[in-house]
Amino acid sequence: MGGVWASCQEELLSDCVVSPHVFAHMIDRLCDFVVPYQHCLATEADTHNVHRYLAGLLSHLDRKNAEEIAALVDVERLVMQQFIGTAPWDHRPLIKVLVGEVIDRLGEPDGVIAFDPSSFPKRGTHSVGVKRQWCSHRGKVDNCQVGVYMGYVSRRDHAVLDFRLSLPQDWARDHQRRQACHVPEDVQYRTRHAQCLEMLDMWGEQVPHGWVVGDDELGRHTQFRQQLRARGERYVLGVPCTTTMRDLDAPWPPYQGRGRRPKPPWQSVTAWRTALHPDGWTRLTVRDGEKGPVEIEMITRRVQTRLERKRTGPEEWLVVTRRPLSDENGWEAQASRDATDQDTRYRYHYYLTPTQAPEAELEEPSLAELARVIKAETCIEASFKRGKSEAGMDAYQVRTWEGWHHHMALSLIAVWFLIGETHRGQQLTPALTLPQVRYGLSVLLLEVFCTLTVASICRHVHRQLVRNELARFYHYRTRNCIPSRKLRRDIQ
């Protein structure tokens, strides 16, 4: 048996040998990659700046905002800040190019469209759309901005395609704040469910898919599920543990011969789950994790749920998954307060999927298919992690409507370049991961932009000093005081 383990270890380690061809000419490939996106911009300055900004997002910088990127690529800070924060270029043509490239490489007929909000904690109150609301990043109500994202998941990989900034109602009604953050006049308050449907209507025909998934924030709203059914979409949407349902497969109470025939009682999914027989669960392996196979247990049942005003809803399949509390493999996405429940051994998640399409009854999906689709919901969370840890998706320092959308579009494009390079590199080094690709690229970019000479050091220090002195000047001016000049010290 020892020989088998030794042989297996040797095979795994052989997959780690890094070929020089993985990183050779990567800078040239980045230049070629940017060209279709540059063609979407009107001015020559913007075409140069989009390449510079993408290089900054893919670099070694800890804080990937406009100021730090400008210092890295050796341009004036205000030039880069204006390009991201206030320049009038439209990000949507870039997203159209991105969607086309993703579908060409990852598209599958039974692919999964995943919708998920993501939050960005903020300290101040002046950034567009910021308010105290549920912050999934911190698992509590906090001051943050929230974006609604549409991702695509196939067996090949996953990527974020499009996004919307969730503009709260109080922001939509506040003309002064809208004007300060350059919110367009035609932008009004829209629920996150409406934003998801807008993206689905925009890209649904172009993006091949068989399923739509989302967390309990989307699934708890019966109107959203109804709108998906009306569009002929098959969905697997999370629902809270407080959802009221009726088990249609349970034995009906005996008829007493008078009045209406009794039906199975209404009860919460938690109460229904606690009454299940322990042998009713089926175990499936979802994928190979870093610490071993990731397994879940599942059970399905045909149910009815209640609509608003306690009206009876259509038939749906209820899907319940559970995993041991001791399982440390990070598989589930961070949930809202009532999205899950638990007992002494397991944590439980609840989902609904339709039994009927507008013109036909749907066949019950297999547990393996449901597990694949449910896993897609966690893939969109993995996409957020990629964007935030490798491409500065949450590192922006902009307050305007344009700035948020510009930065978000370019960060998604940067992640897509890393995905493509990872796929290419895995043909030579199978164990290669996206963070290692970004590390190698960041070192190559250092050679391009950080040619350290006395002149370049002086330019960098000069920019920092100008920024410091301007900040001091404005602080003094707000107090109606004249700032004193710094004294020149004589050389001893």
Side-chain angles (χ1 to χ4, degrees), residues 102 106 150-153 157-161 380 383 386 416 419:
V102 172
L106 305 185
M150 172 181 166
Y152 186 72
V153 183
D157 213 321
H158 50 87
V160 179
L161 301 181
I380 191 70
S383 292
R386 283 175 173 176
W416 177 238
I419 293 173

Side-chain angles (χ1 to χ4, degrees), residues 7-46:
S7 176
C8 178
Q9 183 183 47
E10 184 178 350
E11 291 177 355
L12 293 177
L13 294 180
S14 67
D15 291 341
C16 300
V17 178
V18 181
S19 168
H21 296 290
V22 172
F23 298 102
H25 308 295
M26 188 176 284
I27 297 297
D28 295 334
R29 291 195 295 274
L30 176 60
C31 295
D32 296 337
F33 170 83
V34 175
V35 170
Y37 300 96
Q38 291 176 320
H39 289 164
C40 299
L41 302 176
T43 67
E44 184 177 355
D46 288 341

Side-chain angles (χ1 to χ4, degrees), residues 252-276:
W252 287 40
Y255 181 51
Q256 302 297 329
R258 300 175 61 185
R260 294 182 178 179
R261 290 186 177 274
K263 296 180 179 180
W266 293 101
Q267 56 186 326
S268 69
V269 290
T270 299
W272 174 83
R273 186 263 305 163
T274 55
L276 290 175

Side-chain angles (χ1 to χ4, degrees), residues 113-252:
I113 289 179
F115 292 109
D116 198 14
S118 184
S119 57
F120 303 89
K122 292 291 177 182
R123 293 183 179 178
T125 60
H126 300 290
S127 297
V128 60
V130 69
K131 68 169 291 186
R132 284 189 62 81
Q133 53 193 323
W134 176 258
C135 180
S136 59
H137 181 80
R138 293 178 173 169
K140 63 179 182 178
V141 174
D142 206 346
N143 208 50
C144 64
Q145 294 170 302
V146 175
V148 181
Y149 294 84
M150 172 181 166
Y152 186 72
V153 183
S154 73
R155 292 172 183 83
R156 298 184 181 97
D157 213 321
H158 50 87
V160 179
L161 301 181
D162 201 0
F163 55 89
R164 299 289 186 274
L165 176 63
S166 179
L167 192 69
Q169 276 185 298
D170 53 347
W171 265 88
R173 294 193 297 259
D174 192 328
H175 178 72
Q176 185 175 357
R177 296 174 84 184
R178 289 175 61 106
Q179 191 174 26
C181 291
H182 305 173
V183 179
E185 293 183 0
D186 60 339
V187 174
Q188 302 299 324
Y189 168 73
R190 302 201 70 188
T191 65
R192 295 172 190 173
H193 316 90
Q195 291 177 318
C196 291
L197 292 173
E198 177 187 333
M199 288 186 280
L200 182 62
D201 293 339
M202 177 177 291
W203 302 114
E205 293 186 2
Q206 181 177 343
V207 177
H209 66 283
W211 294 90
V212 174
V213 299
D215 63 11
D216 67 289
E217 181 180 347
L218 302 175
R220 70 177 64 214
H221 291 271
T222 59
Q223 282 294 322
F224 182 67
R225 305 203 304 268
Q226 190 277 330
Q227 289 288 338
L228 290 179
R229 289 193 297 271
R231 288 166 168 78
E233 299 286 353
R234 297 194 78 174
Y235 57 79
V236 175
L237 297 175
V239 292
C241 60
T242 56
T243 301
T244 302
M245 49 78 75
R246 170 187 283 156
D247 186 351
L248 298 180
D249 292 333
W252 287 40

Side-chain angles (χ1 to χ4, degrees), residues 210-214 219 222 224-239 248 300-305 313-319 351-366 370 373:
W211 294 90
V212 174
V213 299
T222 59
F224 182 67
R225 305 203 304 268
Q226 190 277 330
Q227 289 288 338
L228 290 179
R229 289 193 297 271
R231 288 166 168 78
E233 299 286 353
R234 297 194 78 174
Y235 57 79
V236 175
L237 297 175
V239 292
L248 298 180
T300 61
R301 194 72 91 241
R302 194 167 55 94
V303 302
Q304 276 183 316
T305 58
E315 293 185 10
E316 294 175 280
W317 279 300
L318 173 68
V319 184
Y351 305 88
L352 288 173
T353 185
T355 62
Q356 289 185 329
E359 299 179 356
E361 187 167 341
L362 298 173
E363 182 180 350
E364 181 177 3
S366 66
L370 288 171
V373 176

Side-chain angles (χ1 to χ4, degrees), residues 376-390:
E377 182 189 349
T378 64
C379 289
I380 191 70
E381 292 289 339
S383 292
F384 294 151
K385 184 177 180 180
R386 283 175 173 176
K388 294 177 181 180
S389 61
E390 306 299 335

